[in-house]
Amino acid sequence: MYQFLNVHPEGKLVPDCVKRAITKAAEMDYHEVQLELNRHKKLTGAKVFNEDKNWKSYIENVLNGTKMSFPATKGMPRMNGKRFSIVYPKGRYILNMAGHLSCCIDGVIYDTWDCSEKCVYTAYEIKPQMKHYYTVSKVRNENLYTINVYEGTDIKTFTADKSEIKGM
C-alpha cells in the first residue's frame, strides 16, 4: 500500500529520495539527515551525498541497517514495493529500488509518488537506536586534528595534537 508523504521542510517536490527515505525510516529531522549525509562523505570519499557508497555506508554503519537482498530468479517475478509491503507487513525499512530509495513502515510505502511497482533490489531494516560515530579531520597543520563525536543528535567537537591520538 502507498501513502503520499513529503518530508521536505518547505514542501518542495525535489529529487531527494535518499534524504526522504532515511528521514522517515529513522525518524530523524530532514536537515539533520542532510547534514549527516554531507559529513559522512568525508568518511566514504563520495563526491555527493546521494552517491551509492555514501548512503549505503550511512545506513549500514550509522543506522545499523540490516541488509536483505532480493536477486532475480529465472521464471519468477521480481520483488517490487507492493509485494514487499505484503511479505513484510511489520517493521521499518529503506527500500533500494530501481534508481530510487523509498521507505516502508508496517506495510505502507511512504513517498512523494507511488513507486510500489518498482523492483526492490535490497532493503534495510531500520531499528530505533542511538547513533554513535566520529569523524577526524586535519586542522591548519599535519599535527592538529578536529574530532567530531556524534551521539544521537548531540555533537561534541575536540581538537587534539597528533601525539594525543592513539592509532594516528
Side-chain angles (χ1 to χ4, degrees), residues 114-130:
D114 186 357
C115 56
S116 62
E117 294 300 324
K118 289 187 79 69
C119 291
V120 176
Y121 300 129
T122 55
Y124 296 87
E125 185 173 14
I126 307 298
K127 296 191 176 170
Q129 59 195 338
M130 175 69 84

Side-chain angles (χ1 to χ4, degrees), residues 15-151:
D16 60 350
C17 65
V18 172
K19 291 184 268 188
R20 288 195 318 264
I22 292 172
T23 295
K24 180 64 176 169
E27 298 179 304
M28 296 171 65
D29 175 75
Y30 183 93
H31 290 299
E32 177 188 0
V33 170
Q34 182 174 352
L35 184 64
E36 287 194 9
L37 286 171
N38 279 310
R39 285 181 178 146
H40 199 70
K41 291 186 309 187
K42 294 175 184 172
L43 298 175
T44 62
K47 292 183 179 171
V48 292
F49 76 90
N50 59 353
E51 195 171 323
D52 284 0
K53 69 180 177 180
N54 195 56
W55 64 257
K56 285 178 182 179
S57 171
Y58 184 81
I59 291 170
E60 292 171 4
N61 298 308
V62 177
L63 299 179
N64 293 316
T66 305
K67 184 178 178 180
M68 304 161 33
S69 295
F70 302 98
T73 304
K74 189 174 182 178
M76 299 291 292
R78 289 206 66 139
M79 178 64 80
N80 66 15
K82 188 176 190 175
R83 277 191 281 288
F84 184 92
S85 66
I86 293 167
V87 174
Y88 299 93
K90 295 288 178 199
R92 306 177 83 77
Y93 301 91
I94 294 175
L95 307 180
N96 176 19
M97 304 170 123
H100 184 61
L101 286 191
S102 192
C103 172
C104 183
I105 299 174
D106 295 335
V108 178
I109 295 173
Y110 293 93
D111 213 325
T112 57
W113 58 285
D114 186 357
C115 56
S116 62
E117 294 300 324
K118 289 187 79 69
C119 291
V120 176
Y121 300 129
T122 55
Y124 296 87
E125 185 173 14
I126 307 298
K127 296 191 176 170
Q129 59 195 338
M130 175 69 84
K131 297 180 304 299
H132 180 88
Y133 71 103
Y134 67 93
T135 61
V136 178
S137 56
K138 290 182 184 178
V139 178
R140 291 190 295 277
N141 63 51
E142 290 193 25
N143 294 320
L144 195 59
Y145 290 82
T146 296
I147 303 166
N148 294 311
V149 179
Y150 304 92
E151 295 180 25

